[in-house]
Amino acid sequence: GINAEYGKQWYQRRVRVEKMYKLLFNDDSSVQSKMKTLMKMEGYEASGWHDSLEGATERTLNYRVPLNANLGPKWAEVIEKQVVTTNSVAAKCYIVNCEVTNPNVPYGDKFNIVKRYCLTRSSESTCKLRLTSDVHYRKGVWGMVKSIIEKNSKEGLNEYCEDLCMCLTEESAGPGIKIRKSAGGKSAAHTSSSSRHTLRPRSAL
């Protein structure tokens, strides 16, 4: 089964859509570098982009992130398959589906998380980003477990979106501007070369 979408997060940035695509999916981009730090990724490996039999372009990421659970594993192994769909049109719109599995977490064989990034050109110099997430169940789970899975997934997506928005805002603000999250999740800009973000453990998306 497929659950209702979470989030439906929208962002509009003064950046060309093709640059936004590179910021989100190029491993050498400043945004990706910051997100890896914020998520405390370890053991990151990425396959090269290649064409699928369906005509899409895809790659697979492998990494691990810390868990905040009192019981069970302290790290979640993450396998993330990213697919640039055939509906994408260079310099106009990009639709990227990401299927995330966590094989070593409890009930990790019963579900996966599917994120969808939709980048659309608004003008020559601006674009919109729409990010949604679903829980896909591969096997049946009982009610309490399902509630826990969906609660953790929703919290993980919300935190991911907060961090991503912060990194994109820093990118738009220019060199020397750092964004610090407040306790309520809002961001404030300040100029500092020694700023630190408050990090907390998270579950993988």
Side-chain angles (χ1 to χ4, degrees):
I2 301 177
N3 274 51
E5 289 181 321
Y6 295 133
K8 293 188 178 180
Q9 304 287 334
W10 284 92
Y11 307 96
Q12 180 153 338
R13 289 288 181 267
R14 296 192 63 81
V15 58
R16 295 167 66 92
V17 67
E18 57 267 40
K19 182 178 179 181
M20 176 68 83
Y21 172 77
K22 292 178 181 178
L23 288 173
L24 294 175
F25 298 103
N26 187 328
D27 287 335
D28 296 329
S29 79
S30 58
V31 169
Q32 280 300 302
S33 177
K34 291 173 184 176
M35 288 298 292
K36 289 172 186 175
T37 299
L38 288 168
M39 295 178 67
K40 298 183 179 180
M41 286 187 188
E42 290 194 3
Y44 180 90
E45 294 182 353
S47 69
W49 289 100
H50 61 277
D51 295 334
S52 68
L53 295 176
E54 293 77 20
T57 304
E58 62 183 46
R59 69 171 181 170
T60 300
L61 313 180
N62 290 271
Y63 55 90
R64 64 177 190 162
V65 293
L67 292 174
N68 57 6
N70 294 325
L71 300 175
K74 300 302 181 184
W75 293 84
E77 301 294 336
V78 182
I79 302 172
E80 179 172 343
K81 181 179 179 181
Q82 299 180 338
V83 180
V84 183
T85 71
T86 56
N87 295 324
S88 301
V89 180
K92 291 186 178 181
C93 71
Y94 299 88
I95 301 172
V96 184
N97 293 330
C98 302
E99 182 181 271
V100 180
T101 57
N102 305 122
N104 73 314
V105 303
Y107 304 99
D109 62 329
K110 299 183 183 298
F111 73 97
N112 54 35
I113 307 299
V114 176
K115 296 182 291 182
R116 169 170 285 193
Y117 298 79
C118 184
L119 289 70
T120 54
R121 181 181 185 272
S122 301
S123 68
E124 182 67 23
S125 59
T126 62
C127 70
K128 291 181 180 179
L129 165 64
R130 181 176 186 262
L131 175 58
T132 58
S133 181
D134 303 323
V135 180
H136 286 212
Y137 291 97
R138 301 196 299 268
K139 300 179 182 178
V141 295
W142 55 292
M144 183 177 293
V145 172
K146 189 174 182 180
S147 296
I148 293 172
I149 290 171
E150 292 171 9
K151 176 178 179 292
N152 289 340
S153 299
K154 186 174 182 178
E155 289 176 353
L157 176 68
N158 287 340
E159 186 170 2
Y160 176 84
C161 288
E162 288 176 7
D163 288 344
L164 180 61
C165 183
M166 181 173 62
C167 292
L168 291 173
T169 301
E170 284 188 354
E171 181 70 21
S172 300
I177 304 299
K178 301 294 182 183
I179 309 299
R180 181 160 48 200
K181 285 196 301 185
S182 66
K186 295 183 179 180
S187 300
H190 66 288
T191 304
S192 173
S193 61
S194 59
S195 64
R196 293 291 183 270
H197 299 301
T198 300
L199 304 179
R200 65 180 186 270
R202 73 178 70 197
S203 296
L205 280 176

